[in-house]
C-alpha cells in the first residue's frame, strides 16, 4: 500500500500485482495486458470463466441471481402500405441484375424494357428479381408480380388487378397471364399502336374481372385472349370470350406457337443466333396462330 497513490491503489499477492483505479471501478495488471472491472478481476485471479466469475461476485455481495427465461420475440408486423413498399424499391436500372434477367435470360428487347421503366411499371426486387406493378383504374399500385431466376410470386398483402403496358386509351386489349408475357407479346408486335397489353398475374380475381369490364366498357374495344397455349390458357380464353360476349365486344384468340409469349421470344432469339442476321426473317416461325374471329 505504500506504493499506492490517491488514484491508483496497489495490491500484491506473492509476485502478483493488481492496481485498482477509477475509485474501485477499474483495475489493471502492470505485468500483463489484463485489465477490466470487478467481474474480469475475479476471472483473472481465480482462473474461471465469466459465468462463474459473475456468480462469485454475486456471492460476495449476497446477490442471488434469477435465471431469465428466454421468450421468443414477437414477429415484427408489417406496417407499411403496399404502395410505400413499392416506392421504397429502386426503379429498374440499366445493367442491373434485374435488367440482365429481363434482357438476357428472358430475351426482352431493350426498347421494350426501357418503355416499361419509363412507364414506372418495373422495380428491382431482392436478389436480382423484378417487380412488375399491378395498378387499379386510378393508376395506384396495389400489388406486383415477382419474377427472378429462382423465384416467382406475388406481393405479400397486395391485390391482383392488372399489369398494364401500352396506351391507356387503347381499343385493342391483349390479355396475357404474366407481365413478362405481356411485354414479350408487345415486343413481338412491335408495341402496336392502340393496344394495351395486360397481365392478370395468372389469376382471375373479382378485382381483375372488374378492371377488365371497365376497360371493355369503352366503345369499339376488341378483346384479344393472348393466354398460354395450354389447357389453363384455353380455360382463361374461354372466360375472356364469355366476358366479351356478355358486354358485346369483339373477341379474338391469339395463341403462341410455344407454351407462352416469352417462350416464343426466346425461341426467335435462338433462331437468329443459329441462322445469323442475314436471313433470320425467312427462318423465323410465325409467332402466333389466330383460331377464331368475332362473328
Amino acid at each position: 500500500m505504500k506504493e499506492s497513490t490517491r488514484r491508483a491503489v496497489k495490491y500484491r499477492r506473492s509476485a502478483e500485482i493488481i492496481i485498482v483505479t477509477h475509485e474501485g471501478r477499474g483495475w489493471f495488471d502492470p505485468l500483463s495486458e489484463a485489465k477490466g472491472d470487478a467481474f474480469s478481476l475475479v476471472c483473472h485471479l481465480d482462473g474461471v470463466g465469466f459465468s462463474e466469475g459473475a456468480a462469485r461476485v454475486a456471492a460476495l455481495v449476497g446477490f442471488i441471481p434469477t435465471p431469465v427465461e428466454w421468450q421468443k420475440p414477437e414477429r415484427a408486423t408489417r406496417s407499411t402500405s403496399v404502395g410505400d413498399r413499392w416506392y421504397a424499391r429502386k426503379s429498374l436500372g440499366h445493367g442491373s441484375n434485374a435488367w440482365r434477367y429481363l434482357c438476357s435470360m428472358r430475351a426482352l428487347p431493350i426498347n421494350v424494357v426501357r418503355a416499361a421503366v419509363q412507364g414506372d411499371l418495373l422495380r428491382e426486387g431482392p436478389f436480382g428479381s423484378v417487380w412488375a406493378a399491378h395498378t387499379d383504374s386510378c393508376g395506384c399500385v396495389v400489388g406486383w408480380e415477382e419474377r427472378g431466376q429462382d423465384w416467382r410470386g406475388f406481393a405479400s398483402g397486395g391485390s391482383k388487378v392488372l399489369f398494364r403496358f401500352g396506351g391507356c386509351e387503347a381499343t385493342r386489349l391483349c390479355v396475357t397471364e404474366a407481365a413478362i408475357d405481356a411485354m414479350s407479346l408487345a415486343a413481338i408486335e412491335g408495341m402496336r399502336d392502340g393496344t394495351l397489353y395486360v397481365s392478370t398475374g395468372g389469376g382471375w380475381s373479382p378485382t381483375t374481372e372488374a378492371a377488365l369490364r371497365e376497360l371493355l366498357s369503352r366503345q369499339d374495344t376488341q378483346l384479344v385472349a393472348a393466354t398460354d397455349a395450354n389447357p389453363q390458357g384455353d380455360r382463361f380464353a374461354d372466360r375472356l370470350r364469355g366476358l366479351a360476349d356478355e358486354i358485346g365486344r369483339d373477341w379474338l384468340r391469339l395463341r403462341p406457337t410455344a407454351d407462352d409469349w416469352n417462350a416464343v421470344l426466346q425461341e426467335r432469339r435462338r433462331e437468329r443466333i443459329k441462322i445469323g442476321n442475314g436471313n433470320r426473317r425467312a427462318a423465323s416461325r410465325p409467332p402466333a396462330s389466330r383460331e377464331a374471329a368475332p362473328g
Side-chain angles (χ1 to χ4, degrees):
M1 297 289 289
K2 290 190 298 182
E3 302 173 56
S4 301
T5 66
R6 188 169 61 86
R7 294 178 179 272
V9 181
K10 180 180 287 186
Y11 293 87
R12 287 181 179 272
R13 186 175 69 180
S14 300
E16 296 176 319
I17 299 175
I18 294 296
I19 297 177
V20 177
T21 57
H22 302 294
E23 299 179 346
R25 293 191 294 272
W27 66 274
F28 67 92
D29 180 353
L31 304 179
S32 72
E33 298 294 326
K35 60 182 179 180
D37 55 16
F39 298 100
S40 61
L41 176 61
V42 172
C43 296
H44 176 72
L45 295 176
D46 295 351
V48 297
F50 178 78
S51 297
E52 178 61 25
R56 294 187 184 190
V57 171
L60 287 174
V61 298
F63 178 77
I64 301 175
T66 302
V68 178
E69 182 180 355
W70 182 84
Q71 294 183 342
K72 185 177 181 180
E74 293 185 6
R75 188 173 182 177
T77 56
R78 194 185 298 276
S79 57
T80 53
S81 69
V82 171
D84 288 342
R85 285 158 52 203
W86 168 264
Y87 288 107
R89 305 297 302 194
K90 291 194 304 183
S91 182
L92 200 69
H94 184 92
S96 67
N97 289 337
W99 180 284
R100 288 195 294 273
Y101 169 71
L102 289 179
C103 296
S104 298
M105 295 191 64
R106 307 306 292 264
L108 282 170
I110 290 176
N111 66 317
V112 172
V113 175
R114 186 176 290 132
V117 171
Q118 290 172 347
D120 203 19
L121 301 177
L122 301 176
R123 285 287 190 277
E124 294 191 14
F127 307 109
S129 63
V130 175
W131 289 4
H134 275 225
T135 56
D136 61 17
S137 58
C138 298
C140 297
V141 176
V142 294
W144 52 84
E145 297 176 36
E146 300 174 349
R147 294 293 185 275
Q149 186 172 355
D150 301 310
W151 170 254
R152 61 179 299 163
F154 197 84
S156 175
S159 301
K160 285 185 179 180
V161 182
L162 288 175
F163 171 81
R164 309 168 196 241
F165 180 55
C168 296
E169 302 300 323
T171 54
R172 180 173 180 261
L173 182 63
C174 293
V175 181
T176 69
E177 298 178 52
I180 289 180
D181 285 330
M183 291 186 286
S184 298
L185 179 56
I188 290 168
E189 294 190 334
M191 292 190 283
R192 181 171 163 177
D193 289 341
T195 298
L196 178 63
Y197 302 92
V198 305
S199 161
T200 64
W204 187 279
S205 67
T207 51
T208 296
E209 181 171 332
L212 289 172
R213 286 180 178 275
E214 183 176 353
L215 291 172
L216 288 171
S217 66
R218 299 170 183 166
Q219 198 69 25
D220 300 326
T221 299
Q222 181 190 50
L223 179 60
V224 179
T227 51
D228 295 351
N230 55 35
Q232 176 178 301
D234 291 338
R235 286 194 292 274
F236 270 119
D238 288 341
R239 296 190 73 167
L240 291 167
R241 180 173 192 169
L243 189 61
D245 289 344
E246 180 185 335
I247 301 175
R249 296 289 181 260
D250 281 351
W251 177 88
L252 178 70
R253 172 68 164 130
L254 194 61
R255 180 191 290 270
T257 52
D259 191 56
D260 57 44
W261 294 106
N262 188 249
V264 172
L265 202 58
Q266 294 188 52
E267 183 178 317
R268 294 180 71 174
R269 182 176 65 177
R270 286 192 294 271
E271 290 179 355
R272 284 199 302 271
I273 294 173
K274 182 178 179 180
I275 66 178
N277 293 332
N279 55 353
R280 66 187 180 191
R281 185 177 295 278
S284 296
R285 295 172 56 187
S289 62
R290 288 171 170 76
E291 293 189 344

